[in-house]
Amino acid sequence: MAEFGENIRKAREEMGITQQTLADKLYVTRQAVSRWENGSRYPDLLTAKALARALDTTLNDLLYDDDMQTYPEVNPVIEYPVHKRVLTALFAVACSVNLILTLWNTFYYLTDARAFRTVYESTLLISRMVFLTLVTVILFYGFIKSVKDEFTPQAAKRIMLSIVVLNLLGVLFRYYLSWRNYTALRGSAVIAAVAVNVAFIIIVLRFFRAKNPCSPIPVYVFTGLEMLFELIDYVLGLIAVIGTAQLRSYLTNATLSTLALLSVEILFIYMTAVLHRKRKLTKTQA
């Protein structure tokens, strides 16, 4: 997008106006104009159209064809206040639920001092706490980016990939612990879990490509199926413990775990939908 900034500078100098004058026309700061010209930041689509009018040119003249293709990828994902508020709220909910789940697992580990807890069980609990802590940190990063209006498609890509890769590593680590502990674990289930996570990583990488991205439908399908399977698993588990002493513990831990997963999956779907809509709008305006 270096050409975009250079074109702004050239058009401004041809009109004989300063950065401050241009900034005053657009109701932005001079520093914002300076960042546009040096390529460190870009205006949102509505501001870019106003910028073209202020410079007595067109958005197509400011943007080369290649720039127009990548424009949605370097700009903030959210350009409308309502979308920004929804994204921030989703991050806040997902971060909060995962934080509560992390604290609950830590409390359980510290207070449930069973004499017969094995090294295998302890390692599983600790690895789960580490996983949840890392996911919470990633979601908090997204929350901060959204609040600061700096949530770009690349930030969304990093968040989605980080969480999926962590989940993949968690599956592999649990398989390793089971193998070391001689615990029965179906190889087909492990292979399926690894295959699903790897496939989702590939889909995310393809969707977030600046040029020729894939359709968002595979992202919707994968996240939707994950949500469906999690809900089915939750209901089946609930049916199994009804009338037993484990019901209270299940309602706490399993419900929090299900809500944590669903909040992240809904966030994935929303980020994907907003970026897809932004790409379509950019093509329409091109």
Side-chain angles (χ1 to χ4, degrees), residues 9-24:
R9 185 188 62 79
K10 289 180 179 178
R12 176 180 61 78
E13 291 178 350
E14 286 177 2
M15 291 190 68
I17 61 176
T18 65
Q19 290 182 343
Q20 185 61 59
T21 302
L22 180 59
D24 292 340

Side-chain angles (χ1 to χ4, degrees), residues 235-256:
V235 172
L236 292 178
L238 179 61
I239 293 174
V241 298
I242 289 178
T244 68
Q246 290 79 29
L247 178 60
R248 184 175 180 181
S249 175
Y250 183 86
L251 287 175
T252 303
N253 192 41
T255 301
L256 280 175

Side-chain angles (χ1 to χ4, degrees), residues 1-17 19 22 33-39 41-43 48 51-68 71:
M1 295 289 289
E3 295 86 355
F4 179 55
E6 183 65 18
N7 288 343
I8 294 175
R9 185 188 62 79
K10 289 180 179 178
R12 176 180 61 78
E13 291 178 350
E14 286 177 2
M15 291 190 68
I17 61 176
Q19 290 182 343
L22 180 59
V33 175
S34 176
R35 286 194 291 266
W36 298 342
E37 291 187 358
N38 63 33
R41 189 69 187 272
Y42 308 97
L51 172 64
R53 289 195 297 269
L55 294 174
D56 195 23
T57 184
T58 66
L59 189 55
N60 282 340
D61 289 335
L62 291 178
L63 287 165
Y64 286 116
D65 290 339
D66 289 342
D67 287 338
M68 182 59 77
Y71 188 81

